[in-house]
Amino acid sequence: MRLILLGPPGAGKGTQAQRIVERHGIPQLSTGDMLRAAIAAGTDIGKKAKAVMDAGKLVSDDIVIGIVAERIEQPDCSKGFILDGFPRTLVQADATEAMLKAKGLELSAVIEIQVDDEVLTDRIAGRYTCAQCGAGYHDTNLKPKVEGVCDRCGSTHFKRRPDDNRDTVVARLQTYYKDTSPLIGYYYAKGLLHGVDGMASIDEVTASIEAILAKV
Ligand SMILES: [Zn+2]
């Protein structure tokens, strides 16, 4: 089972990927991890990547594809893998397809976790936690029983993550759509794209993904 999982930040992609890893015994391959591993292992392509990065340049698509190609030969990928954060562009998507084809492989499915932007923005932008015990709250969905007092520990001090504000969330979503929209069309045209409703509960999203995976 060779998968790509797409979804904006905050859609629960990490949680769902982790569940697929556990249920299906396939690894989640992130380009950052693969690059670091290839460099640490000192493979030919890892050495090339290191030289480029040491020179302060961005690693080219060729090198990244080479690293993915090398990584999926490892025994833990015998049943498949989830590609995480790659491909990001149409050129990379084409190169990925060609690389897999050369190995006699193809992608099984591309799963897009779809969200309602407004709802997602409200959800993330409203989050805050108790500064003392870490209990999670929300401006509208989950207020403390007594305003300004933590239900769990009685503390009156709360904190918000600096990037959990509306502007940052909207900017992250825009970047995601800018990068990802072309891929959605690309994989749709190839009949590989499957959408799931990311606004459902975590277990419901998992069930939708499992239903798709049962058919591929
Ligand atoms: Zn507390």
Side-chain angles (χ1 to χ4, degrees):
M1 197 182 293
R2 289 166 293 273
L3 307 174
I4 292 174
L5 206 52
L6 302 174
K13 190 160 62 90
T15 305
Q16 297 301 334
Q18 200 48 49
R19 289 185 171 196
I20 298 171
V21 166
E22 284 163 15
R23 278 165 190 252
H24 298 278
I26 59 175
Q28 179 184 3
L29 307 180
S30 91
T31 41
D33 291 346
M34 285 186 280
L35 265 172
R36 280 187 288 276
I39 291 169
T43 64
D44 286 347
I45 199 106
K47 283 178 192 153
K48 267 192 214 168
K50 185 172 189 306
V52 173
M53 287 163 77
D54 285 349
K57 291 184 192 152
L58 280 175
V59 178
S60 67
D61 285 354
D62 283 351
I63 290 179
V64 178
I65 286 282
I67 282 171
V68 177
E70 208 171 63
R71 178 66 184 82
I72 65 176
E73 294 288 339
Q74 302 284 315
D76 64 333
C77 293
S78 61
K79 288 200 287 176
F81 50 81
I82 309 171
L83 280 182
D84 177 6
F86 187 87
R88 277 196 203 279
T89 65
L90 292 180
V91 173
Q92 292 173 351
D94 270 332
T96 303
E97 188 180 28
M99 179 272 290
L100 290 173
K101 202 172 176 187
K103 295 176 188 288
L105 303 174
E106 54 188 17
L107 285 173
S108 313
V110 176
I111 296 172
E112 182 200 5
I113 302 181
Q114 297 163 332
V115 299
D116 179 322
D117 295 354
E118 290 276 318
V119 177
L120 186 73
T121 306
D122 286 345
R123 233 189 230 181
I124 298 175
R127 296 194 293 210
Y128 63 99
T129 56
C130 170
Q132 188 165 302
C133 75
Y137 296 99
H138 192 277
D139 289 331
T140 49
N141 305 339
L142 186 63
K143 297 180 190 176
K145 289 190 185 76
V146 178
E147 200 184 328
V149 182
C150 176
D151 292 346
R152 199 199 282 171
C153 75
S155 166
T156 53
H157 295 284
F158 296 89
K159 61 181 179 185
R160 284 173 198 270
R161 284 174 39 180
D163 53 352
D164 278 356
N165 69 72
R166 191 161 290 275
D167 290 348
T168 311
V169 176
V170 168
R172 286 204 300 246
L173 278 171
Q174 280 170 349
T175 303
Y176 168 76
Y177 288 118
K178 190 164 126 305
D179 289 350
T180 315
S181 319
L183 292 178
I184 304 239
Y186 177 90
Y187 287 119
Y188 175 79
K190 290 182 182 290
L192 287 169
L193 190 74
H194 302 266
V196 299
D197 175 13
M199 303 319 289
S201 74
I202 293 176
D203 287 344
E204 284 168 336
V205 176
T206 303
S208 303
I209 292 175
E210 287 302 317
I212 292 163
L213 298 184
K215 289 187 216 150
V216 300

